[in-house]
Amino acid sequence: MNDDQLLRYSRHILLAELGVEGQEKLLAAHALIIGAGGLGSPAALYLASAGVGRITLADGDTVDLTNLQRQILHASASVGRPKAASGRDALARLNPEVRVTALEERLDLERLDALVGDATVVLDCSDNFATRHAVNRACVRHRRPLVSGAAVRFDGQVAVFDLRRPDSACYACLFPESGESEDVRCAVMGVFAPLTGIIGSIQAAEALKILAGAGETLAGRLLLLDALAMQVRTITLRKDPACAVCGT
Ligand SMILES: [Zn+2]
């Protein structure tokens, strides 16, 4: 690290659990963020401010006026622009040292597989089950840690599937691909603005801990937040030996 980096990241370096060594791990890492919306916005901002060396931000949508109530990566002037490019520009203003790749596309399976294989950690900030399951499959195949988040109305959830561990559950152990889960679109259900900030920030915290090897992550647990009552609970997740994706 040069002098500027030692200053920029000094409040991390002061943390015994991170230190110079942990910060260097962040600088050497590559985070893949799927979705530059409500969850991807705070997640990407914190990973960039914290100095994650490479960030790939994938989103096939363009910024809509209805997004700005919660998708804090984007501003009024970005309406109509691709979210990935708008996000890349915002991250560059925050921390020009971070190498950000903007992918303005819906990733097909092959592309997703290559990107996950190249990532150190994957953040699922998407808003639909098809993408979640595709991301999960690629993470299981490449044994990449997956930080999964969801937020709708006043309800949020976060889970870490540390697929580097052979006993880790995967997203499909929790929500089987054949299940009857229906996408709950925030377009019709509404979403409380700071909820996505809270959940996306927890995703960033978990990703940074995974990258730095600090503390205890949410691996094996699902955190559920009711922002209306402001109550948090966690439930234990277990690997399903019969899981169609990660089972033997
Ligand atoms: Zn599984």
Side-chain angles (χ1 to χ4, degrees):
M1 274 185 274
N2 59 37
D3 287 352
D4 277 352
Q5 289 176 314
L6 289 169
L7 279 175
R8 183 185 277 268
Y9 306 119
S10 57
R11 299 310 190 266
H12 259 175
I13 293 167
L14 283 168
L15 296 171
E17 294 79 359
L18 290 176
V20 169
E21 197 182 333
Q23 188 62 45
E24 279 177 343
K25 286 179 183 165
L26 300 183
L27 291 167
H30 176 202
L32 171 62
I33 303 176
I34 308 293
L39 302 175
S41 286
L45 286 166
Y46 275 120
L47 294 191
S49 72
V52 170
R54 285 170 65 204
I55 293 175
T56 298
L57 192 57
D59 198 308
D61 286 340
T62 54
V63 180
D64 185 84
L65 185 58
T66 61
N67 299 151
L68 299 182
Q69 164 251 18
R70 64 199 177 283
Q71 301 186 14
I72 57 172
L73 203 47
H74 315 295
S76 300
S78 294
V79 171
R81 290 192 69 203
K83 284 187 186 178
S86 164
R88 178 196 56 212
D89 294 351
L91 299 181
R93 284 192 294 274
L94 177 59
N95 188 350
E97 288 188 352
V98 178
R99 286 165 55 201
V100 181
T101 305
L103 302 176
E104 301 167 12
E105 56 189 301
R106 280 213 185 281
L107 303 170
D108 62 25
L109 290 176
E110 200 178 327
R111 189 98 165 88
L112 195 55
D113 197 66
L115 287 165
V116 167
D118 190 43
T120 328
V121 67
V122 179
L123 287 82
D124 183 353
C125 300
S126 71
D127 63 354
N128 64 86
F129 282 107
T131 302
R132 291 181 189 285
H133 283 300
V135 171
N136 179 60
R137 275 188 178 269
C139 288
V140 168
R141 198 173 311 120
H142 292 282
R143 295 184 169 276
R144 290 295 183 271
L146 169 61
V147 184
S148 179
V152 71
R153 289 179 292 211
F154 291 91
D155 298 316
Q157 58 185 48
V158 190
V160 170
F161 304 101
D162 194 345
L163 298 156
R164 298 171 297 183
R165 305 182 193 172
D167 63 340
S168 170
C170 83
Y171 183 79
C173 293
L174 183 58
F175 299 107
E177 291 181 338
S178 56
E180 296 186 0
S181 319
E182 270 183 44
D183 285 327
V184 183
R185 309 289 302 187
C186 55
V188 287
M189 303 307 290
V191 58
F192 188 46
L195 175 71
T196 52
I198 297 167
I199 297 297
S201 298
I202 295 175
Q203 288 184 267
E206 294 302 294
L208 292 172
K209 283 157 54 190
I210 288 167
L211 294 175
E216 192 177 332
T217 70
L218 274 173
R221 290 181 290 157
L222 173 68
L223 182 150
L224 299 160
L225 170 72
D226 172 356
L228 200 53
M230 205 47 85
Q231 286 187 328
V232 181
R233 62 197 177 98
T234 55
I235 56 176
T236 303
L237 299 180
R238 289 205 172 76
K239 184 183 176 86
D240 175 5
C243 174
V245 178
C246 73
T248 43

